[in-house]
Amino acid sequence: MNPSFGTSHIRDMTSIFVDKSEELRDVLMSRLTSKEGEGDVKLDILSYLSRATLDIIGLAGFDYSFNTLANEEDGLAKSFKKLFQPGGGFPIAQLLKAQFPILRSLLRFDQQSKCADDVHRRMTEIGKRLIETKKEEVKQQKSEGSLLQGTKAKDLLSLLIFSNLDDMADASKALTDDEVLHQIPTFLLAGHETTSTATAWTLLSLADNPEVQKRLRDEILNINTESPTMEELNSLPYLEAVVRESLRYHAVVSGVIRVATEDDIIPLDKPFVDTTGKVQNSIMISQGDTIYLPIRYLNTAPSIWGDDGKSFNPERWNAVPKETSAIPGVWGSQLTFLGGPRACIGYRFALVEMKALLFFLVGNFEFKLAVPVEDIGRHPGIVTRPAVLSELEKGIQLPLVVRPFVRDA
């Protein structure tokens, strides 16, 4: 699957990122300039971003139009929204299932599990239809030679099926239809909610740091294009710095869990004194041990990033501390996309998508805080989403005051 996320394919998908970002701009502009929305308007920007990124992964991932920007009542979009809302009360079912995997298929009575089952059912229905359609399209295109000419099959599912058909001669490499089907929820969830949430956190920091927002807007408006290419988006140094800093500082995935498959010894950069008073220079790991990797801590630790490590400061990327070289991340001198063989396969996809969204949003709107920044909390989960602490009953949201940006004459 790695080639499907390579630079050449991301370049081909950039037009989808741009078109949907432009549509998001138009949806927001229509909302802001409507009769009831003149002047500054308070919007839940996360809701709009979530719809945009679902549309993007639908087209870029499967050549499938969810069209949720135009139709916010879409069934799958509404199911996703319910799934990501925090449940009420003490999440005992979730805690039990996290500790005892055997219970995950048994404890399905809580609201969160019911929402997850609904999302899974909808995705499975869509996935089965897509696979059958795509297999026929790919077979036809392959027989006509159009795939070899690079004229079609730019979505991830077609590329995966094309590669799979190539591997049919070697059954050990080929995926079954069920295995291909199981990739679709991964694409949808990983390619949808993470990017929308990361972009929302970025807009919060820009609203909280208006001078950074202005500098970024000035850079964007200096690009004389309404349809930037991947190369043009990647050529903007301050946009790059803002994206790097936001992904470092906010780290929408705060940490991940790994289970050791064998005994090992982990050497330490700095020794520590254990509970018995002995100095330890390494940690013994036994097969089956559960290990938590604290992504956000490593991304913000003052011992690595300096005294302002826990602050949002895009300027730090002008001189990155040498201590960051020890972070084994696949990108950006940070652990946001992890590293090694289990690093995020779609990080290039996410970066260009996020830049396209910011290009159109910051270039066309001004964002201000709708509530004090201290009132925005981090709701824990696989993806850390924003919520208003004084309005927790409203669930996941990120309200910002938005107004159209008007250039000086």
Side-chain angles (χ1 to χ4, degrees), residues 103-320:
L103 297 178
R104 293 172 188 173
S105 61
L106 301 176
L107 299 181
R108 310 301 301 172
F109 51 80
D110 59 290
Q111 189 61 38
Q112 202 77 355
S113 294
K114 292 178 181 177
C115 288
D117 290 342
D118 182 51
V119 169
H120 183 268
R121 177 183 60 79
R122 291 176 184 272
M123 288 192 295
T124 299
E125 290 174 356
I126 293 170
K128 287 180 177 178
R129 294 199 303 268
L130 286 172
I131 289 173
E132 288 304 313
T133 302
K134 286 297 176 184
K135 282 179 70 175
E136 292 306 314
E137 288 180 2
V138 169
K139 286 178 181 177
Q140 182 178 353
Q141 293 165 15
K142 192 173 181 182
S143 66
E144 295 172 354
S146 58
L147 280 176
L148 297 178
Q149 298 166 20
T151 57
K152 295 184 180 180
K154 294 178 181 178
D155 63 280
L156 298 173
L157 182 60
S158 292
L159 291 165
L160 178 59
I161 290 174
F162 177 63
S163 175
N164 199 39
L165 289 174
D166 265 0
D167 289 335
M168 283 299 182
D170 185 348
S172 65
K173 293 182 179 179
L175 299 177
T176 65
D177 283 357
D178 279 346
E179 288 172 329
V180 173
L181 179 63
H182 292 156
Q183 305 307 311
I184 291 177
T186 302
F187 283 162
L188 276 173
L189 291 170
H192 156 229
E193 199 64 21
T194 50
T195 306
S196 62
T197 305
T199 308
W201 283 118
T202 306
L203 291 175
L204 174 67
S205 285
L206 293 176
D208 192 37
N209 295 272
E211 71 288 349
V212 174
Q213 183 179 163
K214 181 181 183 303
R215 180 175 171 183
L216 177 58
R217 183 179 298 109
D218 289 345
E219 180 181 75
I220 289 170
L221 294 178
N222 276 331
I223 299 294
N224 188 26
T225 181
E226 282 292 311
S227 184
T229 63
M230 181 185 76
E231 284 77 13
E232 286 172 324
L233 290 170
N234 287 336
S235 71
L236 299 173
Y238 202 61
L239 176 60
E240 175 76 16
V242 168
V243 168
R244 282 177 179 258
E245 182 65 356
S246 180
L247 291 173
R248 178 200 73 86
Y249 177 64
H250 292 293
V252 295
V253 178
S254 295
V256 294
I257 293 174
R258 294 289 184 259
V259 177
T261 58
E262 58 185 44
D263 296 346
D264 204 349
I265 299 175
I266 300 178
L268 300 177
D269 181 48
K270 296 179 180 178
F272 72 97
V273 178
D274 66 18
T275 56
T276 67
K278 294 182 180 179
V279 176
Q280 301 289 346
N281 293 288
S282 61
I283 297 177
M284 299 287 294
I285 299 294
S286 299
Q287 182 182 14
D289 281 354
T290 298
I291 303 164
Y292 179 74
L293 303 179
I295 294 175
R296 189 163 189 251
Y297 173 80
L298 289 171
N299 276 4
T300 58
S303 59
I304 297 173
W305 296 94
D307 293 339
D308 69 340
K310 296 182 182 295
S311 301
F312 180 84
N313 176 23
E315 305 299 326
R316 79 174 68 254
W317 296 98
N318 294 329
V320 183

Side-chain angles (χ1 to χ4, degrees), residues 335-406:
L335 208 58
T336 299
F337 294 109
L338 297 174
R342 293 190 177 273
C344 175
I345 192 175
Y347 75 92
R348 294 184 186 90
F349 183 108
L351 290 171
V352 180
E353 179 186 10
M354 191 171 170
K355 288 178 180 180
L357 288 164
L358 291 171
F359 182 93
F360 280 91
L361 292 176
V362 178
N364 289 278
F365 304 100
E366 293 181 78
F367 297 91
K368 298 180 181 178
L369 296 173
V371 299
V373 71
E374 297 80 14
D375 198 24
I376 301 295
R378 294 172 58 88
H379 185 270
I382 297 175
V383 176
T384 304
R385 300 173 182 84
V388 179
L389 297 177
S390 60
E391 300 177 349
L392 289 178
E393 70 281 359
K394 294 184 179 181
I396 301 302
Q397 60 165 326
L398 181 59
L400 292 177
V401 174
V402 187
R403 67 160 56 179
F405 173 74
V406 180

